[in-house]
Amino acid sequence: MRRIVLLCLFFVCFNTRAITCEHQPNSVFFQPWNTPNLTQEQRQQLFAHQLAYATRNGYQEIILQWTKYGEVNFFSDDQVSWLYSSIAKTQTLKVVYGLYMSPDFFADLNKSDQLLASSLATIRSHHHQQAKQLLRNAPSAIDAWYLPEEIDDLNWHTPQRQTLLKRHLTQVVDDLHQLNARIPVYVSAFFGGKGDPEQFAQLLNELHQSTGVTWLIQDGLGVHRTDAIDTKKYLAAIAQTIPAQSWRGVLEIFSEKKILTASGAETEYCPASKASIKKRAIVWCHATGLSPTIVFSLNQLAPEFEGAAPTKQERCALSSTLLLNPDE
């Protein structure tokens, strides 16, 4: 009799988890680039096409990974960019505004703590100025801020680095809340199997508790970084450590390829197959009991239309490709 009860409890728990994991993502990342082989009008047409595709397919929120990249400001006061014009016409999508992305951020992680601290101070200054500018002229309501500096499991092991990171996030959040206290702050985290999953989850939770940031957890399944077992360990540790309302899952819907061209091998982030995306969603479900709510990114989600350059689908369909992600 006891065995029957245990079996029933098992199937109830299993079915509850399966139902929970049926939710589809409703948010999508977008990386703004001034693609050199497209005119401003063509960029605007392409982005409008992608936004319309996302809306038709049930997406309710877009996360702009940055609004200023190096010296390129997509929301400057003195000119109207293709990105600004497209967002201004968006009626139904919520918009999360990424702030400043330093092109040198990842390289600066290899520098001394003192030099990294200086780099982070510069980033904070840019964040503050960009947020002030967006509060003046953003063409839509600001659903949240997003900080483009992604936090990994490699570069923040030492107590000194962790103190530096805590100080950075605390100061950024305080600055942003002084401008507008109601707007939440999102930050991404990703892992490459470079540390202990539980320790990484604990670090993220401590940073959440001290700063209030919401973590966007990237699964890393679009690149050949960690295998599914390691990914499950990281995701499970995060789900067990960080309060559920304080993190969101990011499902990577691309697969990294090397495309062989006349000038050599070039990296392309191609749309993953439906079977691969389903397999990755199952990893999330088994590890956390939840579905990811965000996909990365719009460029792989929405098919491009024919334009001045070969579309991503055409480039990825080239016969001379080397697939770097083994799950395709």
Side-chain angles (χ1 to χ4, degrees), residues 63-275:
I63 302 173
L64 303 177
Q65 192 160 355
W66 52 73
T67 52
K68 183 177 182 182
Y69 186 94
E71 297 301 317
V72 179
N73 190 349
F74 292 96
F75 288 85
S76 66
D77 291 326
D78 55 359
Q79 66 177 6
V80 178
S81 71
W82 59 270
L83 184 62
Y84 183 101
S85 298
S86 299
I87 294 295
K89 296 176 182 178
T90 302
Q91 301 296 321
T92 58
L93 287 173
K94 296 179 179 178
V95 183
V96 174
Y97 284 85
L99 293 173
Y100 171 74
M101 179 63 194
S102 168
D104 301 319
F105 172 71
F106 291 105
D108 289 343
L109 293 175
N110 297 317
K111 296 180 179 179
S112 68
D113 291 354
Q114 183 177 6
L115 290 176
L116 177 58
S118 176
S119 172
L120 292 176
T122 300
I123 289 173
R124 287 195 296 274
S125 177
H126 280 289
H127 282 336
H128 184 76
Q129 294 303 318
Q130 192 68 5
K132 286 174 61 178
Q133 191 169 66
L134 288 166
L135 286 169
R136 286 197 308 269
N137 66 7
S140 70
I142 299 172
D143 196 47
W145 300 119
Y146 173 76
L147 307 184
E149 50 266 36
E150 302 170 14
I151 307 307
D152 61 22
D153 63 334
L154 172 64
N155 292 287
W156 309 98
H157 285 309
T158 67
Q160 293 81 2
R161 280 289 174 102
Q162 292 178 10
T163 298
L164 187 61
L165 179 58
K166 180 179 178 180
R167 184 184 304 122
H168 172 65
L169 292 179
T170 298
Q171 291 180 1
V172 172
V173 172
D174 286 350
D175 285 347
L176 294 175
H177 282 174
Q178 285 179 14
L179 294 175
N180 189 314
R182 70 171 183 81
I183 302 177
V185 180
Y186 295 166
V187 190
S188 282
F190 70 97
F191 44 84
K194 305 300 183 182
D196 179 76
E198 293 183 359
Q199 291 180 359
F200 185 58
Q202 187 61 42
L203 171 63
L204 298 183
N205 188 49
E206 290 174 359
L207 291 168
H208 160 70
Q209 296 295 339
S210 60
T211 68
V213 298
T214 296
W215 289 107
L216 308 187
I217 307 298
Q218 302 170 205
D219 58 29
L221 294 173
V223 294
H224 186 44
R225 183 180 298 158
T226 57
D227 61 25
I229 296 175
D230 287 336
T231 300
K232 288 180 182 178
K233 288 180 180 178
Y234 275 93
L235 296 181
I238 287 167
Q240 293 165 11
T241 305
I242 306 176
Q245 70 275 14
S246 304
W247 65 275
R248 299 172 64 184
V250 181
L251 176 68
E252 294 183 355
I253 59 171
F254 63 85
S255 288
E256 185 177 355
K257 287 185 177 182
K258 288 290 186 184
I259 296 181
L260 304 180
T261 67
S263 58
E266 297 180 0
T267 300
E268 186 69 65
Y269 297 97
C270 300
S273 67
K274 291 183 179 180

Side-chain angles (χ1 to χ4, degrees), residues 23-42:
H23 296 295
Q24 297 298 313
N26 59 9
S27 182
V28 57
F29 261 101
F30 178 69
Q31 290 184 328
W33 295 105
N34 279 338
T35 311
N37 53 3
L38 296 178
T39 66
Q40 170 144 319
E41 182 180 1
Q42 288 172 326

